[in-house]
Amino acid sequence: MPERLYADIAVPGVPKDTLTYAVPEGLHDRMQPGVRVMVPLGRRLVMGFVVSTHDRMPDFAVKAVQQALDVDPVITPEVMRVCEWVHRYYVCGLGEALKAALPQGMDVDSERQVSLRSDDEQDITRAVGRSRAKASIVEALRTGEVMSEEELRSHVGVKSISAQLRDLAMEGIVQIESVIERPAARPKTVLAVRLLPPWNRSDKISELMEIMEKRAPKQVNIIAQLWKQYREGETTVQMSALVRAARASSAQVRALEEKDIVEVLEEEVTREWQVRYAEKRKSITLTAAQRAALDAVNAAVDEGSHRGMLLYGVTGSGKTQVYIEAITHVLEKGKNALVLVPEISLTPQFVYRFRQAFGGDVAVMHSRMSVGERYDAWRLLMAGEYRVVVGVRSAVFAPVRDIGLIVVDEEQEGSYKQSDIQPRYNGRDVAVMRGWFEGAPVLLGSATPSLESWQNALSGKYALLRLDERIDNARLPEIRMVDMTEERKQRGTQGAFSHALIEAIRERIARKEASIVLHNRRGFAPHLECRDCGFVRECDNCSIALVFHKDRSYLRCHYCGAAEKAPVICPQCGGTDLDPVGTGTQRVEEDLQAALPEARILRMDSDTTRRKGSHDLMLTALREGEVDVLLGTQMVAKGLDFETVTLVGVVAAEQSLLLPDFRSSERTAQLLTQVAGRSGRGAQSGTVMLQAARPEHPVFDYVRKNEYLGFLRDEIASRRDLGYPPFSRLVLLTFSGEREEHVRDAANLYHTALKKAGSFFRMYPPQPALLSRINRRYRFHLLMRIEKNRDTDGRRLGAALAFASEYQLRHAKSRSVHIAIDVDPQYMM
């Protein structure tokens, strides 16, 4: 090691790629890429990641690394390469990309704590002067209590006390220390008990129990239980289990500890997400098409090099079984596998099938797990305890070593795109790049492929594998359109339902078959409207109406979360005729229950699935025949495989077509095709009924005829003519801030700078976002469209945005505007 060592550290939230710090001699051996460290940044200590080390002395003054948080790297070299690509392609900070690779709760923060250093009244009077804020700070600290800067700021009642604290510290009145807080994610420990020598020998234990039998019978029970477990090979027993089995108390265990008979120690335990969902195992015989697809995947695995493959299979064609058989082959070759699914609601069925096949080798990673469960899954993966990972978007960064295959199920799903925080990455595309870096094939599966992946298959970039028929000779469902405009004129409707759909559900209930009803809007109604004056209550924080939830009679904003009691009297005119307008899942449930009082209805949306394990419990109820109708949002549309479901109904099938987005037709075709595929997966044929007020829309023809590939053909031709993705790359810049004029000015400055930065893209003038205000922040959009062949690796984009950022900083009147860069955006809201 050189005498002087410097480390380049990536810090989340810092625009620069890395910052350089000096490494104290005692930390030289710990400075490996992927290790977390605490470094000074301004007045605080912050967490960063070691990227590289060197002995070149910088030509500027540097601060020193304060602490290494890890003995070994927490980010593997393979994941480090993926994060560096995410940083470049998505134009985000390297620190943000590296932070995204860790499970929630592993980030470490520090807190500035302040204490009174001097009690000399003359010194204090001189230092405080006429400052009320300084006097209030000293007064709060006179109790001798150490207080955080945030607590002091709240006590003083001003926005910032940094300057006052600095002055008092320089005068020697207060002492300020940065204290590192414990991370939320850490190993869980429980108390465990073990017999101490020589009492773990049969002769000694018998002698001991004979002596104590009359004086301490409860303690004898404890010793007997420990001895029993010891003979069965368990050297320690958890305290809670021990006192329960021995019908004793922890105080009696502590008494034995004082006698040096037992030892009480802390023992790490693993928290694991459990799946209660179950089904009988079936013997599987692959179809010829499944076998051909599997042979192609296995050949790519054997070749040991990266290859992208798109597995197109109609709903019910057995894609999941192909995944399982391919992963079996991967494990036999001594390699490991990573499987991504788009929705938490799909995880229970997926996990069950994978654990059925691979037992305890399967790790689960998704956001509904507790912080501890995710951390334990991650650290056991780091230790090589698991060989197969099943998880949602963030699992693409899982520390799986020696990957032999990556699977992305339902690859078209927009939920693979992280759109709310940095880095704004697409898990599917990151998975493809991870396969490239690790020399592993990537299998993308879908019954409704995205236009991007289909075009990659047509151009030869991906190998195309096809499953064109359902397994067990099951037929695709018959799909019928119900014209709701005509239905209302001729027969009337039963709330949100046509008479035809109600009768079809009633028939299924009589035959003890199940139905699924899709309505992709939660709540009872999109808004509450006064019939007298037209008043609609909007969110105070966002430019959108509050959604009415009838079950608790409240209004809620689905963007910022603000909620309030629904009014009984119009706050504008005093009228009492307040009417819910539109339809949400709660209203659909009410309408269905009114039409079919005998029906057992289960509603599945984000309001009813907040509790941990709720998806699993609901799907189990449907599997076990306890539910007649599963009603829900898009979470009921994908991945569900129930042989009893023979009817699918869709309420307001045209709803997603009304969104101002060039992808609206694609998303509608995908959603309807996917939900239609839930019907008729068993011996009984299936039926699908699509209710729509505009049944003449061309998308419905493709869906009704089961011609999704025909839709892809025509939509690709249209996108090519218009120059939209997949034939170009979009970049959406979102400017947000508390003052509308500052946000508008920042967007205009960026627009001016980008016009100077290059001509390899087209750009549209800044416009207010469709949702022009969210959470009290005004929003403007600036959209760029880049021809892929003019910037194949994104370097020109990165340079142009860097130039624009510097230009904006030099000329902006305010620096309070936040700028978010979204490469390949999925939504334009």
Side-chain angles (χ1 to χ4, degrees), residues 521-531 534-539 544-549 554-556 558 566-567 578-584 587:
R521 176 175 281 165
R522 59 189 261 240
F524 186 83
H527 63 270
L528 203 60
E529 180 179 313
C530 175
R531 290 300 189 187
F535 173 79
V536 173
R537 180 74 171 97
E538 291 192 347
C539 177
I544 195 167
L546 295 175
V547 177
F548 177 54
H549 291 252
Y554 67 93
L555 302 172
R556 177 180 291 279
H558 289 175
L578 296 172
D579 189 35
V581 177
T583 303
R587 190 170 203 161

Side-chain angles (χ1 to χ4, degrees), residues 340-390:
L340 299 185
V341 294
E343 300 272 0
I344 295 169
S345 59
L346 300 183
T347 311
Q349 291 197 102
F350 238 79
V351 170
Y352 181 83
R353 289 193 63 179
F354 274 72
R355 283 189 174 162
Q356 194 178 55
F358 308 116
D361 279 336
V362 178
V364 184
M365 302 183 83
H366 65 73
S367 59
R368 286 291 175 90
M369 297 166 68
S370 69
V371 168
E373 288 170 339
R374 276 178 278 174
Y375 173 68
D376 283 352
W378 175 88
R379 68 190 182 100
L380 290 175
L381 269 170
M382 286 289 286
E385 295 291 325
Y386 294 119
R387 301 190 62 195
V388 180
V389 179
V390 177

Side-chain angles (χ1 to χ4, degrees), residues 33-35 49 73-77 79-80 83 98-99 101-102 378 382:
V35 165
F49 299 87
V74 294
I75 297 181
T76 64
V79 174
M80 181 76 81
C83 291
L98 292 168
K99 182 181 175 181
L102 296 181
W378 175 88
M382 286 289 286

